[in-house]
Amino acid sequence: MSGKKVIIGGGTGFIGQRLNKLLTAHGYNVVNVSRMPAANNVSWSTIEKSGLPAKTTAVVNCAGQQFMDFTKSWTPGFKQNVLNSRVYTTKALSQAINQSNDKPKVFVLVTGVGAYEPSDTIKYDESSPTTGTDFFSKLLVAWEKAACVNPPVRLVIIRSGAVIGRDGGMIKNMIVPFFFGMGGRLGSGKQYLPWIHIDDLTRLIQYSIENEEVKGILNGVAPQVVTNEQFTQSFAKAMSRPAFLPVPEPVLNFLLNPERAMIVTKGQYVVPKRVLEYGFKYQYDNIDDACKECAYLFGKQ
C-alpha cells in the first residue's frame, strides 16, 4: 500500500491528526479535507467543486463538531451544527466518490455507538438494530445513510466508543480535575462505557483500508466492557489520585442539558464481535493499560 493516497475528512481533529501520523508512517500520501489551510489540506468547497484528488485509494471521514464542547450551550443552533458537520461532510465525500471516474477502493466512515439505544440490560453487537429515538441515535441514522455511494464502493462504518487518548476526547476534559484530586464517577457510575484507545481506533481504520474482506458495520470498541465507575477508578489509579467526588446526574443535566448529558449518564453494553472475527488485534484491550498510557503524560506509568 506504500505511496497510496488517502483523503481524510476532519484530518486536523483529534482522531484525524493521529490517523495522519499512522498512515504517513506507513508510506501513505495523506490529504486532509479541512477548514484549516495547510500544505496537505484541501477545503470542503474544493472537494464539492473539483471532486477527489487524482488516484485516491481510500476516503476516510472522521469530521464532526465536538458535541461535548462544554463552552458551547446546547442550543438548537449548536445541535444543528453537530448534525450538519457530520451529515454534510459525509454527503460531500459520498458525492465526490460518485463523481469520480477512478473511484477509491474503500470509504471508511467513523460514527458512534450512539446508534444503539442506551440500556442497562441489552448487549449489542454489529447485528443489533438501531432502535433508539433520542437525538444521537437519530443523528447516527442520518449520518450513516449519507455514506451511500452509487455505484457502491467498499464501505466500512466504524461505530466508535468513547476515544481514550492523551490529546483529546474525554481524557482532555477529565485530566485536570483528576490531577487535582477532584475526579469521580458521573451519575450512578453503573452505566456502561463503551471505549477504545485512540491508537486502536486509528489502527482499525488502517486495517479496514488494507483488508478487502472488511466491510459493513464494525463496533469500534475495546473487547473489555466497563462501567463509568470502573473507568473512573482505573483512571484515578493511573494518575495516582483519589476519585471520591462524584457528579450527580441532576447536576450534569443542569450543566450540559439532559439531551446531551445522556451521553455520559446513560450507556450501552457494546461488543466488537465482527472486529474480533476479522482477526484485528488490539494494542489496548483493557482499560488499565489504556489509562496508564494516557496518564504517562503527567509522569505516571
Side-chain angles (χ1 to χ4, degrees):
M1 297 295 290
S2 179
K4 298 295 181 71
K5 186 177 295 181
V6 178
I7 308 303
I8 303 178
T12 57
F14 172 45
I15 298 170
Q17 287 186 22
R18 189 67 68 96
L19 182 60
N20 258 276
K21 292 179 181 178
L22 176 67
L23 293 180
T24 301
H26 284 82
Y28 287 85
N29 177 15
V30 176
V31 177
N32 299 312
V33 191
S34 174
R35 293 171 295 173
M36 305 294 290
N40 292 328
N41 291 8
V42 296
S43 68
W44 287 102
S45 59
T46 298
I47 288 291
E48 286 185 297
K49 292 175 184 176
S50 306
L52 298 177
K55 297 182 180 179
T56 295
T57 301
V59 175
V60 179
N61 193 26
C62 47
Q65 167 73 49
Q66 172 55 263
F67 50 78
M68 293 306 283
D69 182 349
F70 301 146
T71 67
K72 307 287 187 182
S73 298
W74 193 246
T75 62
F78 181 69
K79 287 168 62 176
Q80 196 62 44
N81 286 343
V82 169
L83 176 69
N84 290 345
S85 64
R86 288 162 171 76
V87 176
Y88 162 81
T89 57
T90 303
K91 280 185 176 178
L93 291 171
S94 298
Q95 290 169 1
I97 294 171
N98 279 335
Q99 295 163 5
S100 176
N101 292 324
D102 183 18
K103 297 191 186 305
K105 302 295 184 185
V106 60
F107 183 16
V108 181
L109 174 63
V110 181
T111 64
V113 293
Y116 307 114
E117 187 174 2
S119 174
D120 294 330
T121 57
I122 301 173
K123 295 184 179 181
Y124 295 106
D125 61 29
E126 290 90 346
S127 66
S128 303
T130 54
T131 57
T133 57
D134 59 88
F135 170 79
F136 290 102
S137 55
K138 289 178 180 177
L139 163 64
L140 266 291
V141 170
W143 190 0
E144 294 179 356
K145 186 178 180 181
C148 292
V149 175
N150 190 25
V153 300
R154 183 166 61 89
L155 175 64
V156 183
I157 296 177
I158 299 175
R159 292 175 176 165
S160 171
V163 183
I164 307 295
R166 301 180 192 178
D167 305 319
M170 63 184 297
I171 296 295
K172 188 175 182 180
N173 292 326
M174 294 174 55
I175 203 159
V176 172
F178 269 75
F179 182 73
F180 288 104
M182 299 173 65
R185 70 174 190 271
L186 302 179
S188 70
K190 296 178 181 178
Q191 67 274 30
Y192 292 113
L193 176 64
W195 65 278
I196 188 168
H197 191 279
I198 182 68
D199 288 346
D200 282 329
L201 178 57
T202 53
R203 288 174 57 249
L204 181 58
I205 295 171
Q206 181 186 358
Y207 189 86
S208 300
I209 291 171
E210 295 179 352
N211 290 274
E212 294 182 0
E213 73 277 11
V214 177
K215 59 183 177 180
I217 303 294
L218 300 178
N219 285 337
V221 297
Q224 182 194 34
V225 180
V226 301
T227 63
N228 178 271
E229 172 73 22
Q230 289 169 325
F231 166 74
T232 298
Q233 293 303 318
S234 180
F235 189 62
K237 181 181 177 182
M239 292 287 293
S240 298
R241 295 291 189 273
F244 56 84
L245 293 175
V247 185
E249 186 170 335
V251 174
L252 291 164
N253 288 339
F254 175 76
L255 293 174
L256 301 179
N257 184 289
E259 193 170 50
R260 171 162 57 173
M262 68 174 292
I263 287 292
V264 293
T265 61
K266 312 294 182 186
Q268 309 95 327
Y269 189 111
V270 182
V271 295
K273 184 172 182 287
R274 295 190 71 232
V275 177
L276 294 171
E277 287 174 350
Y278 277 127
F280 178 77
K281 304 298 183 185
Y282 287 83
Q283 186 172 349
Y284 298 95
D285 60 2
N286 69 85
I287 196 64
D288 288 342
D289 287 347
C291 287
K292 285 177 184 177
E293 193 278 333
C294 295
Y296 182 75
L297 181 67
F298 282 78
K300 307 296 178 187
Q301 297 189 56

